[in-house]
Amino acid sequence: MQDFEPKIIAFCCFYCAYSAADLAGSLRLQYPANIRVIEMPCSGKTDVRVLLEAFEDGADGVYVLGCMEGDCHFLKGNFRAKRRVHQAKKILDEIGIGGERLEMYNLSAAMGPRFAEIAREFTERIRKLGPSPLNKKYASANSTKAGEQE
Amino acid sequence: MIIAEGKPLVEVAGLIQEARKVLVVGCGGCVTVCLAGGEKETGILAAALRLLRQKEGNPLETVEVTLTRQCDPEYVDMLEKYVTDDVDAIVSLACGVGVQFLAERYNKWVVPALNTKFAGGTVEHGVWEERCGLCGECILYKTGGICPIIRCSKSILNGPCGGSQNGKCEVNPETPCAWQLIYDRMQALGKLDLLMEIQPPKDWSKSRDGGPRKVVREDVRLA
Amino acid sequence: MKTESKLEKLLSQGHFVVSGEIGPPKHANPEGIKKHTALLKDYVDAMNLTDNQTAIVRLSSIAAGVHVLQAGGEPIIQMTVRDRNRIALQSDLLGAYSLGMRNVLCLSGDHQSFGNHPTAKNVHDVDSLQLIKIVKDLRDQKKFACGEELKGNEPRFFIGAAANPFADPFEFRVLRLEKKINAGADFIQTQCIFDMERFERFMAMVRERGLHKKAHIIAGVMPLKSAKAARYMQQSVAGMIVPDEIVNRMEKAADPKAEGVAICVEQIKHLKTIEGVAGVHIMAVMWEEIIPTIVQEAGLYPRPDAG
């Protein structure tokens, strides 16, 4: 398990996390290379199906980054994201993958360091949890699939 | 509209345990509006089923199709090209009507993914309430537009019963007493005297109690 | 006299009647019913047999009524519309009458979600008011609910109905009582009265509409056994109002049972003074043996002879 490098998908709102990621880069902050960032126009675009499919396609962990509560560019997108993440967590629990492999965080565009910190925190969480149950059984199949994406 | 609610994922998965390939069929009618069985929910269910089966080491193939309505043969026919020999089961996200229409039309194992709840409406986004008991003989003109058949826990026609307190039903403190609502409305409309009329026993033969019902309109039949 | 009911006779003679209540057992042994009947028959004029009270399966009220009758009591069978449709209700009315029952109390029935079979289907084919009318039409028109004529003996029941002055909407309670009387109710038994002030207001409205002259109104009372019971009635029973004053009295009492009896006796004495109250109905749930004491202390013993 020591050399387990989790695959983590971070769905990032364009207005906060995506810029925060840029800022983290400009500040030369180190954060784990396990994170694959996907830009969204708003965290309100979060779709339960897409979150689930991320796991299906080999993710060990997934998180959604939205603006601070009350600061959504589209007013309520981040609140909607929060509820959908909650629903997807329940489904993951039911399936037995575990809702703790999915999380929602809030930050602002100015929080470059926080972006790096979340990446470290979450990577550490997934590292402790180990590979997704899906990846344990189908390590070879999924690694091929994941390799194709890279 | 018909209000439905998804069955627990594990229950649905249990219904298709033997299948390797399933059609997951959504419905663009009522269940899309009540967010239980539209295209979006179909996608989520299919993904969740695949994940669950993948975890069990028994991968499942899903094909998602959302029909305009499952309660209409015209649209049910459009599923035909997806109902191939290798499809082991059809999971329907329609109300009980849709499930049956698919089962009648296709020689496949059809299972429901939803529990069909009631005829109701949206009171706020994400909240639906029952309004009609589908009794077959509307009496809303007698009760100020509030249905005692379905909104009173005892379907009392000469209410309210002795369990009405502070405007709530004895069965559930969250549920408004339909007869309190009726009383308030009739009072506001100045029609309280109508409530003094003794309502006779209802003719339930017009309801489900008369056996399965059918409506035929000769003027619009094609054949 | 419309019927052979002893209760009707006593009421029409102007006696202040006393009725009691026996809850049939949750098993098939009738000894408890017989024992309670023997205990109560000299102290009450009639005894209600509850019909699967709070939707808990019990020995049927009609069968219990037969045991009461055999033990020398006057049964009032309760009949709810929760579990039977109009076919079963009428069939049971014929059967009950053939077995000697002469009084029936028509009720909606507690919802099955309160009982021990919460997943049961309820019936509610007719409501309590419609049942009253059915019993009356069987008696006075010799007609079934469908309009068909009875070809033989008709069941001649003294028809009872319930009234709850403590449910809402308060103003409509009297009107609904009137509806029940118009439908055919001969006597009325009320929900347990703890809030005397509200009951007096109710009775004032009853007198205003002259309802006490059209039907006999029997006021319900319940002796409290403990402060806990008082609080339970206050907080958890729908359609019941228990003033704090009564709960406080029960809490402060050195002997809560004696205090419960004392309160009940005071209530009965007061009810006797209210114009239009034709009797009291003592609901001593699971405490039937206290009824003789209450009747004696309330000065209602001995009971009149119906002759």
Side-chain angles (χ1 to χ4, degrees), chain B residues 4-17:
Chain B
E5 189 177 42
K7 280 181 179 287
L9 176 64
V10 177
E11 184 184 340
V12 180
L15 302 175
I16 52 162
Q17 218 154 20

Side-chain angles (χ1 to χ4, degrees), chain B residues 152-156 161-164 169-172, chain C residues 21 50-58 78-84 105-124 126 128 162 164 167 191-192 222 232-233 236-240 283 285:
Chain B
C152 165
S153 302
K154 299 175 184 172
S155 296
I156 292 174
C161 79
S164 173
C169 172
E170 68 174 28
V171 172
N172 182 345
Chain C
E21 190 160 296
T50 51
D51 178 9
N52 298 300
Q53 197 178 7
T54 62
I56 288 171
V57 176
R58 293 169 181 280
Q78 299 194 174
M79 198 171 230
T80 73
V81 295
R82 178 192 57 223
D83 312 320
R84 282 167 286 187
L105 183 74
C106 305
L107 303 167
S108 304
D110 296 313
H111 195 265
Q112 75 278 5
S113 57
F114 295 109
N116 59 356
H117 291 72
T119 57
K121 187 176 193 300
N122 61 25
V123 179
H124 299 296
V126 296
S128 59
N164 186 356
Q191 171 70 288
C192 314
M222 176 186 273
Y232 175 78
M233 302 293 287
S236 309
V237 180
M240 185 88 84
M283 286 169 265
V285 180

Side-chain angles (χ1 to χ4, degrees), chain C residues 223-230 250 255-258 260 285-287 289:
Chain C
L224 292 165
K225 241 179 169 172
S226 64
K228 198 178 145 214
M250 289 301 290
D255 181 351
K257 284 187 179 179
V285 180
M286 308 287 286
W287 200 18
E289 60 279 8

Side-chain angles (χ1 to χ4, degrees), chain C residues 56-122:
Chain C
I56 288 171
V57 176
R58 293 169 181 280
L59 191 143
S60 88
S61 62
I62 295 171
V66 173
H67 295 300
V68 168
L69 201 62
Q70 284 170 353
E74 165 91 349
I76 301 173
I77 48 164
Q78 299 194 174
M79 198 171 230
T80 73
V81 295
R82 178 192 57 223
D83 312 320
R84 282 167 286 187
N85 66 9
R86 66 192 80 170
I87 301 172
L89 288 167
Q90 292 179 99
S91 163
D92 278 351
L93 283 166
L94 299 183
Y97 190 81
S98 77
L99 289 165
M101 307 298 122
R102 293 297 178 261
N103 310 291
V104 63
L105 183 74
C106 305
L107 303 167
S108 304
D110 296 313
H111 195 265
Q112 75 278 5
S113 57
F114 295 109
N116 59 356
H117 291 72
T119 57
K121 187 176 193 300
N122 61 25

Side-chain angles (χ1 to χ4, degrees), chain C residues 252-291:
Chain C
K252 284 189 191 124
D255 181 351
K257 284 187 179 179
E259 187 70 4
V261 169
I263 293 172
C264 189
V265 168
E266 281 169 36
Q267 286 166 336
I268 294 173
K269 285 182 175 164
H270 183 82
L271 288 165
K272 247 188 115 171
T273 66
I274 299 175
E275 190 195 342
V277 174
V280 285
H281 176 56
I282 306 169
M283 286 169 265
V285 180
M286 308 287 286
W287 200 18
E288 287 92 344
E289 60 279 8
I290 198 66
I291 293 176

